[in-house]
Amino acid sequence: MNSTETRQEIVVGVDPRGGWHPAVAWGADEAQLRRLQLRLVLAVPPRGDTEHADDSPHHRRLEEDGRRTLTEAISWAQARRPEAVVTGSLLDGFPGRQLALLSHRVRLVVLGTRHLRRVEEILSSGSVVIPVTAQAGCPVVVVDDADEDGQDPPYLVVGVDGSEPSGAALALAFEEADLRRCALHAIAVWQPPVFTLSSGDTLFHDERRHLSETVAGWREKYPDVEMRPEVRIGSPVEVLAEAGERALGIVVGRRGQGGYTGMRVGSVVHGLLHRAHCPVITVPAP
């Protein structure tokens, strides 16, 4: 199977505890826009911190409950997008590990319920959002539980800082804006240096010029996308979260490799996953 064939799916992680509707809705809509297959995945973890097979009555009950939840989610997705091809997979293993593995063979991974305020969700072997976002081989969308209406007219936000991951994020953001026929706000966040020989006005002007140069080629490639470049001053997390308050999503590049247990994602991504109320789309460097 070649790489093109393996990238023809969008995968949505279905949380057996509930709250999967926003993620499945996002995945189904995206599958229709891109004319890709939608695959809903529910992983049943073993007891304890082990990947060994679990054939206990408790695990079998979890499998039965998971199968019912998966069937319900598939039916719901098909009702939302009848023309979409929707499949489901019930997997054995910790959800984070299973989804991270799948991410290297699919176009996009969509996650729902965050639970990021629970310490055990971030640090335990059963955690999902942080390790999948950190290790994924494709973009990862994390959809908030809140059912927020977007701004009319709709728009996306993309964070731009000149790095390689930021370039990948910019590419996906223009592609998404073109597919969704919405505006794109490209935002560079400038933090004035404490010590410098240049004036603040000069440095700010340089930042604006650099942003304009960065997006110029993409504007030519996607002439139908209404794009607004903007340089703001402040904390990147707070600025991007505020800019995306009513957005369809915030697109950012993923920084950090490995780190403690392979879950380093960079402070901006980590902050947005806690702070933003709209979907956060994290893009790895190519």
Side-chain angles (χ1 to χ4, degrees):
M1 184 177 292
N2 63 43
S3 59
T4 302
E5 291 172 334
T6 61
R7 294 283 178 177
Q8 298 309 303
E9 282 186 322
I10 290 173
V11 162
V12 179
V14 176
D15 192 333
R17 295 169 295 184
W20 46 260
H21 294 81
V24 172
W26 208 100
D29 294 347
E30 187 74 6
Q32 175 179 284
L33 285 171
R34 293 182 175 272
R35 298 184 179 180
L36 298 175
Q37 294 184 18
L38 177 66
R39 181 180 177 189
L40 308 185
V41 172
L42 190 150
V44 181
R47 274 189 170 182
D49 189 10
T50 176
E51 285 284 11
H52 289 80
D54 185 349
D55 194 35
S56 66
H58 173 75
H59 188 75
R60 289 197 295 271
R61 284 195 298 273
L62 289 180
E63 286 183 328
E64 292 172 4
D65 292 343
R67 193 171 288 107
R68 283 193 292 269
T69 299
L70 194 57
T71 299
E72 179 187 353
I74 292 171
S75 298
W76 191 87
Q78 289 174 329
R80 182 180 178 90
R81 296 295 180 190
E83 63 279 12
V85 178
V86 185
T87 63
S89 297
L90 186 71
L91 305 178
D92 273 328
F94 293 110
R97 296 179 190 177
Q98 296 297 325
L99 289 165
L101 289 172
L102 281 173
S103 73
H104 293 275
R105 305 196 303 270
V106 302
R107 184 75 64 88
L108 194 71
V109 170
V110 186
L111 305 175
T113 309
R114 290 176 179 166
H115 296 306
L116 287 179
R117 292 180 181 84
R118 296 171 50 193
V119 174
E120 64 271 22
E121 181 69 17
I122 298 175
L123 298 179
S124 74
S125 58
S127 63
V128 176
V129 170
I130 297 298
V132 175
T133 300
Q135 300 170 12
C138 68
V140 176
V141 185
V142 181
V143 184
D144 197 5
D145 299 336
D147 185 17
E148 298 286 347
D149 293 327
Q151 181 74 35
D152 190 19
Y155 69 98
L156 283 164
V157 169
V158 59
V160 182
D161 65 10
S163 66
E164 187 178 15
S166 169
L170 194 58
L172 181 66
F174 266 99
E175 188 177 341
E176 282 289 333
D178 191 52
L179 285 168
R180 295 171 181 272
R181 299 184 179 180
C182 70
L184 178 61
H185 297 184
I187 296 178
V189 182
W190 185 62
Q191 296 175 295
V194 178
F195 301 105
T196 178
L197 297 177
S198 302
S199 69
D201 289 344
T202 299
L203 292 174
F204 188 76
H205 177 74
D206 289 344
E207 189 72 23
R208 292 180 62 181
R209 178 176 52 80
H210 180 68
L211 176 60
S212 296
E213 291 173 352
T214 300
V215 302
W218 294 107
R219 298 182 90 162
E220 292 177 6
K221 184 175 181 179
Y222 294 97
D224 294 333
V225 173
E226 178 188 342
M227 206 281 299
R228 187 176 77 186
E230 185 178 0
V231 177
R232 296 192 185 182
I233 300 174
S235 158
V237 172
E238 293 303 317
V239 167
L240 291 172
E242 181 183 355
E245 193 69 33
R246 305 288 289 173
L248 297 176
I250 301 173
V251 188
V252 287
R254 185 184 76 202
R255 289 177 177 272
Q257 295 292 336
Y260 179 65
T261 67
M263 293 195 294
R264 182 182 170 203
V265 292
S267 60
V268 174
V269 171
H270 198 276
L272 285 173
L273 289 173
H274 284 81
R275 170 75 171 78
H277 296 295
C278 68
V280 176
I281 306 170
T282 306
V283 186

